[in-house]
Amino acid sequence: MTFDLKTALKYIILFLIGMGVLYLAFRGQDLARIGLEIKKANYFWVVTSAISVLIAHVLRALRWQMLYKSIHYNVRFWNTYHAVIIGYLANLALPRFGEIGRCSVMQKVEIVPMFASVGTVITERLFDVLVLLLTAAAMVMFQYDLVSGFLHDTIYLNLFYKISNIGLLWLIGIAVLLVGIIFICIYFLRQKFSKKLLRVFVNLRQGFGSYRKLKQKGLFLVYTLGIWTFYLLSMCFAFSAIPSTSGLHFDAAFTAVVFSGFAMAAPVQGGIGVFHWVVAQALILYGVSFKDGLAYATIIHSSQVLLILFLGSISLLIVLSKEAKIK
């Protein structure tokens, strides 16, 4: 990735958007009381929650290693683990850069073609999206009376209002323009880089076919469910950290995981701001005040960021030392 002025401005704007959402979430709240709530937190449960997230990261590395082996790249577990953690570290600085970052790590320490790695990452992300959509459907199905009002009033009506203000003709025009730009880009890229694009396509296709070639598809699915189960457990354990959420149960954690999953998909560094607002909104459904929901979201988000900063720094040093030996 080339870091020019345009790229830098893009990520600065995304960061400012995240900070803006964070400001709006905390605006008008009693910050002193929220700070006191965080100070009084039971950090045994905060650490337990962070350990659950770490286990999920380990399972993600094991799952990714399976995809590599299915396309005949016998990569080592510790390299996939370090790449995953470095990817999360990169996402704290540049949204969505983590996927490219971890593929770059594997290219350097395991000599795996970049786009073969990208194909495996997209494959595993598709399974994560599928699980998220299924859990969201289950949330609506089993807690319809609870979440339907929020989905209708806060999500649907706001989106409908904004889209209706844009106008149908404008939307059609924008869609046609985007499709036209995509086809023009593909045409010129094929003319200029046909051989290179062919090599990229072959590598991507190899990565995309990694799941189909798996001999232990059941184990892959177990890892996938394990990742999301430990995300769920991390939410549950963190409930016990502060009195205002200690009475919440599995159903609240389930909803919080679904809401936070969509929040982390937002193109903002580490989900900052968006994560806090969305999780606090989810907990309102279970009788928790928005202020206390923000305190909970701040605790769990901060613990995960600190975990990634600590482990990511270690992994980065290890990978850099390996690169130096290879050179």
Side-chain angles (χ1 to χ4, degrees):
M1 177 180 279
T2 303
F3 290 95
D4 53 15
L5 180 60
K6 185 178 178 181
T7 303
L9 286 173
K10 171 185 168 184
Y11 289 118
I12 289 170
I13 290 169
L14 289 172
F15 175 73
L16 291 175
I17 290 172
M19 293 303 294
V21 175
L22 191 66
Y23 167 75
L24 291 174
F26 280 90
R27 186 181 61 177
Q29 302 298 320
D30 189 340
L31 297 181
R33 286 190 63 187
I34 293 175
L36 185 62
E37 190 84 3
I38 294 170
K39 284 181 181 178
K40 292 192 300 182
N42 185 331
Y43 285 95
F44 169 80
W45 292 110
V46 176
V47 171
T48 304
S49 173
I51 290 172
S52 298
V53 173
L54 173 58
I55 295 171
H57 295 336
V58 170
L59 292 176
R60 186 175 295 281
L62 286 167
R63 185 182 67 170
W64 195 25
Q65 184 186 29
M66 286 186 69
L67 291 178
Y68 274 124
K69 288 187 175 180
S70 73
I71 53 175
H72 310 297
Y73 291 105
N74 193 27
V75 300
R76 287 156 287 188
F77 163 74
W78 282 111
N79 284 338
T80 57
Y81 164 78
H82 292 313
V84 165
I85 299 298
I86 290 170
Y88 282 116
L89 183 65
N91 275 336
L92 294 179
L94 304 172
R96 304 277 65 88
F97 185 65
E99 282 73 12
I100 300 299
R102 62 172 166 141
C103 293
S104 178
V105 170
M106 296 303 286
Q107 182 184 35
K108 291 173 181 176
V109 298
E110 291 284 1
I111 323 298
V112 179
M114 183 70 172
F115 285 95
S117 290
V118 170
T120 61
V121 168
I122 293 174
T123 298
E124 66 158 358
R125 285 303 188 191
L126 287 174
F127 277 90
D128 287 332
V129 170
L130 178 61
V131 172
L132 180 60
L133 293 176
L134 289 174
T135 52
M139 176 192 72
V140 173
M141 186 183 301
F142 293 109
Q143 302 187 76
Y144 180 79
D145 293 338
L146 193 65
V147 302
S148 59
F150 173 81
L151 294 175
H152 181 268
D153 298 338
T154 307
I155 306 297
Y156 172 74
L157 289 182
N158 282 336
L159 285 176
F160 181 79
Y161 175 74
K162 289 176 181 178
I163 290 172
S164 62
N165 283 343
I166 295 173
L168 182 60
L169 289 176
W170 274 104
L171 287 174
I172 293 172
I174 292 169
V176 171
L177 181 63
L178 287 174
V179 171
I181 291 171
I182 289 169
F183 274 105
I184 291 170
C185 289
I186 291 173
Y187 174 79
F188 280 109
L189 284 171
R190 286 184 64 183
Q191 293 296 315
K192 193 170 183 180
F193 304 109
S194 56
K195 290 184 179 179
K196 188 178 287 187
L197 280 175
L198 180 63
R199 188 164 63 250
V200 167
F201 174 76
V202 169
N203 286 329
L204 276 174
R205 185 180 177 185
Q206 183 185 31
F208 287 141
S210 55
Y211 177 76
R212 182 173 51 82
K213 296 175 182 177
L214 275 175
K215 294 181 180 178
Q216 295 178 295
K217 290 183 174 66
L219 181 59
F220 180 90
L221 296 176
V222 167
Y223 284 150
T224 301
L225 292 175
I227 290 166
W228 287 88
T229 298
F230 277 101
Y231 287 158
L232 181 63
L233 287 174
S234 73
M235 289 284 187
C236 285
F237 290 142
F239 283 156
S240 299
I242 54 177
S244 55
T245 57
S246 59
L248 297 179
H249 301 294
F250 176 84
D251 53 347
F254 192 85
T255 302
V257 165
V258 173
F259 278 43
S260 65
F262 286 108
M264 294 306 288
V268 177
Q269 287 91 326
I272 188 169
V274 182
F275 178 91
H276 297 74
W277 184 83
V278 165
V279 170
Q281 289 288 345
L283 298 187
I284 287 176
L285 301 175
Y286 299 90
V288 176
S289 69
F290 188 73
K291 169 185 69 67
D292 292 331
L294 282 176
Y296 170 83
T298 301
I299 287 170
I300 194 166
H301 187 267
S302 299
S303 66
Q304 292 180 16
V305 168
L306 289 172
L307 178 73
I308 290 301
L309 286 173
F310 175 70
L311 295 177
S313 299
I314 294 172
S315 291
L316 191 59
L317 288 172
I318 291 171
V319 167
L320 288 174
S321 66
K322 286 185 178 182
E323 283 185 43
K325 289 179 181 177
I326 291 170
K327 290 178 181 179

